[in-house]
Amino acid sequence: MTSDKLLFTPGPLTTSATVKSAMLRDVGSREREFIETVREIRERLLAIGGSASPRSGGEHECVLMQGSGTFAIESVISSAIPRDGKLLVLVNGAYGRRIVQMARIHGIETETIETPENRRISPKAVAERLAASRGFTHVAVIHCETTTGIVNPIEEIGEVVESAAAVYIVDAMSSFGAIPVDLAAARIDFLISSANKCIEGVPGFGFVLARRSRLLEAKGRARTLSFDLYAQWAGLESDGQFRFTPPTHALLAFHQALLELEAEGGVAGRGARYGANHAALMRGVAKMGIEAYLAPDDQSSIITTFRYPEHPRFSFAEFYERLSQLGFVIYPGKLTAEPCFRIGTVGRLSPTDIEALLTAMRRVLEEMGAAPSVNAVM
Ligand SMILES: *Cc1c(COP(=O)(O)O)cnc(C)c1O
């Protein structure tokens, strides 16, 4: 196999050779083997969320949805909220804004609480808003806002949402599998994530962990055929099959990725590796005059946002291109207010890979004439 560039991005990510080779097969979507694989995937995902399988009394169900992560979020937003519902979206980054955008397209009455991108969402502010204006039926929040890498307090917000008797939707796209999430403790009604983030599968589908009672309420509410979350679930439950062509190869790879997650020690083991990656990154960049955007306490180990170095010779386009030529793919920024770039520390990467990236970054900054002078660093 040729060696691909390493992806220091929020996804798709670098995956293991074993995950990639698990999909070098053509399996029939109606074959028993495939149906069994899908069943096992759904059970394992519920277990990662701390929920027993529905057969053993768990309150949540797992629905797999073709497409990228956004498609799975849209299936929840467009299926779960009734015509007379009202959505409150808690926004501190681009992914929160994306939920607002999709809700408006579906004609859903939507309001927001806007929090600066470098601040966590305040559960108190949510409580005050829900108390001040009645009528919110649904509240949506992003767990790890990948725009910056900040982690929002989903358990505390969940308590507030439950007290207001609203339905709680959590986009845990970039955290699920690496940051512990307990569906019951956080009172989550709908959690959304996807195959190609912290579980380290390949792109092709997203998944929703949905409280069964809420899923049943969604029957007949969908605004589209393809994204009908209830119908997708009912199909999977009736014969174990997808309604429409499933991404068979991506599912085979994902099954292998779940086995590798378990072998690594589950969420705790994976979180520990990402933590080591992040720590190595922060130690290295500190010596390059590159400053993180978030305060360390708010920062996850998933992805880190950096301000551009102040050096007049620094150009992000050139920095990106030179690193890419050396085999390291980083990510542009997405902040509204400031120019920045991002480095992801997730996927099949180890601290050794981070050290290799840091070496390349030092070299590129020097070649660009943008390395900090010794005095500036001291
Ligand atoms: C990646 C991501 C998404 C969107 O996923 P796509 O697969 O790009 O559609 C949504 N929310 C968050 C928080 C993400 O990190």
Side-chain angles (χ1 to χ4, degrees), residues 57 79 90 125 180 203 206 218 256 281 285-286 295 323:
S79 302
L90 314 178
Q256 174 63 25
L281 177 68
V285 293
L323 283 174

Side-chain angles (χ1 to χ4, degrees), residues 2-243:
T2 59
S3 63
D4 290 325
K5 296 175 184 178
L6 293 176
L7 305 179
F8 297 85
T9 66
L13 303 172
T14 294
T15 56
S16 71
T18 35
V19 162
K20 284 185 278 279
S21 52
M23 65 182 180
L24 297 179
R25 303 186 47 209
D26 303 308
V27 294
S29 64
R30 315 225 175 264
E31 283 288 295
R32 193 175 311 125
E33 180 202 350
F34 180 68
I35 289 172
E36 178 55 29
T37 301
V38 169
R39 192 195 59 73
E40 194 184 325
I41 287 172
R42 293 173 68 209
E43 296 226 332
R44 281 177 180 265
L45 288 173
L46 285 167
I48 295 170
S51 179
S53 109
R55 262 60 59 189
S56 330
E59 288 180 13
H60 288 79
E61 298 278 346
C62 176
V63 192
L64 307 176
M65 183 62 70
Q66 296 96 325
S68 86
T70 304
F71 294 48
I73 299 174
E74 190 152 15
S75 79
V76 171
I77 298 298
S78 64
S79 302
I81 305 175
R83 312 255 147 200
D84 58 356
K86 187 172 163 189
L87 173 67
L88 178 63
V89 187
L90 314 178
V91 179
N92 61 343
Y95 292 101
R97 286 192 292 277
R98 187 178 293 176
I99 292 184
V100 175
Q101 194 186 2
M102 65 175 71
R104 298 224 159 109
I105 286 176
H106 290 288
I108 294 164
E109 190 181 349
T110 303
E111 291 182 19
T112 61
I113 295 181
E114 302 268 349
T115 305
E117 288 171 327
N118 60 353
R119 300 282 300 278
R120 295 185 209 207
I121 288 157
S122 144
K124 188 159 161 281
V126 180
E128 285 167 4
R129 183 63 166 275
L130 290 174
S133 62
R134 308 253 148 228
F136 285 111
T137 54
H138 292 68
V139 176
V141 69
I142 314 296
H143 186 202
C144 174
E145 217 339 322
T146 321
T147 308
T148 55
I150 204 166
V151 180
N152 286 312
I154 55 168
E155 295 211 355
E156 290 86 339
I157 297 170
E159 270 180 47
V160 167
V161 174
E162 187 186 51
S163 322
V167 174
Y168 191 31
I169 300 168
V170 176
D171 169 354
M173 203 72 67
S174 62
S175 57
F176 194 75
I179 301 178
V181 177
D182 183 327
L183 291 164
R187 282 106 160 146
I188 299 173
D189 294 299
F190 295 94
L191 175 144
I192 306 115
S193 187
S194 74
N196 61 280
K197 293 211 167 168
C198 296
I199 299 178
E200 301 185 355
V202 304
F205 65 97
F207 52 89
V208 179
L209 305 182
R211 191 182 298 281
R212 187 178 318 101
S213 55
R214 300 303 191 188
L215 194 52
L216 293 171
E217 284 169 10
K219 185 175 183 180
R221 282 183 183 168
R223 291 156 179 82
T224 72
L225 175 76
S226 308
F227 293 111
D228 186 335
L229 189 70
Y230 173 86
Q232 184 86 349
W233 172 69
L236 285 165
E237 286 296 296
S238 69
D239 57 7
Q241 298 176 12
F242 281 68
R243 292 178 300 157

